Amino acid sequence: MKLSEFKLYLKSVKKVEFQLPNGDYVPPHFHVTEVGLNSKKFIDCGSNIRNTKKINFQLWSADDYNHKMSPEKLISIIELSEKTFLLDDLEIEIEFQQSTIGVFDLDYTNDVFQLINKKTDCLDKKKCGLEKKIVELSSIKKQEICNPEDGCC
């Protein structure tokens, strides 16, 4: 989710809720301890030089159970960050402490922000020999696919 989408959703909700991939919710007394701009420069497995930029929010829960982050307060934090860091309309990543710091993508369903598990991936499948080959089944004769006498069917 991009920052502009996030802000639009914030303007339409009465409370800010984040749901983890396992269905649990980030405790309602969470704090946003950081809003930042993360940039990453790296070389992928195919020797391509890459640059990525994302906006990062870090969520944290303490024992101050009366704390509630209102949509308006979060918007004000975001707007200060936009002015300070000259943020573009980038994708958002969310950090939240679990057994280690989890990093999540973000979605929105039924007035709740959904934390989506991130996954590693090969960024140059062609060069690494992992590109899937699509075969037109119509171009293959049925007997070429399976011959019952071969014991494959």
Side-chain angles (χ1 to χ4, degrees):
M1 174 182 302
K2 290 193 174 210
L3 185 60
S4 60
E5 294 172 86
F6 185 71
K7 287 171 45 180
L8 276 175
Y9 290 132
L10 281 176
K11 291 176 183 177
S12 71
V13 295
K14 291 183 180 12
K15 61 182 178 177
V16 184
E17 294 182 289
F18 291 95
Q19 186 174 26
L20 294 157
N22 68 2
D24 291 344
Y25 285 81
V26 170
H29 54 278
F30 73 89
H31 294 251
V32 175
T33 58
E34 295 178 13
V35 174
L37 174 63
N38 287 350
S39 62
K40 181 177 171 183
K41 294 180 180 187
F42 60 100
I43 297 175
D44 70 19
C45 54
S47 301
N48 301 296
I49 297 171
R50 295 183 184 260
N51 298 299
T52 61
K53 285 185 180 180
K54 296 198 176 183
I55 294 170
N56 178 270
F57 294 169
Q58 185 178 82
L59 309 181
W60 177 70
S61 294
D63 295 334
D64 58 339
Y65 299 105
N66 293 325
H67 179 271
K68 300 285 188 269
M69 176 66 66
S70 71
E72 297 79 20
K73 176 66 175 172
L74 186 48
I75 288 171
S76 72
I77 294 168
I78 291 168
E79 288 174 347
L80 176 60
S81 299
E82 286 177 304
K83 290 175 189 169
T84 304
F85 300 124
L86 303 175
L87 296 178
D88 292 325
D89 189 23
L90 300 171
E91 290 291 321
I92 297 173
E93 286 183 329
I94 303 287
E95 291 181 355
F96 181 67
Q97 182 71 43
Q98 296 178 303
S99 59
T100 187
I101 297 174
V103 181
F104 303 91
D105 285 328
L106 190 60
D107 202 356
Y108 184 77
T109 306
N110 298 325
D111 295 336
V112 176
F113 293 100
Q114 305 291 322
L115 302 183
I116 308 298
N117 284 326
K118 295 180 79 62
K119 296 182 176 161
T120 60
D121 196 4
C122 174
L123 298 177
D124 193 346
K125 289 179 178 61
K126 185 174 183 179
K127 194 166 190 179
C128 290
L130 300 172
E131 191 173 55
K132 293 181 182 177
K133 297 187 186 215
I134 299 172
V135 178
E136 284 270 343
L137 289 179
S138 61
S139 67
I140 301 174
K141 295 179 185 173
K142 190 173 182 178
Q143 64 267 21
E144 290 176 1
I145 296 173
C146 182
N147 181 349
E149 294 174 9
D150 293 339
C152 69
C153 300

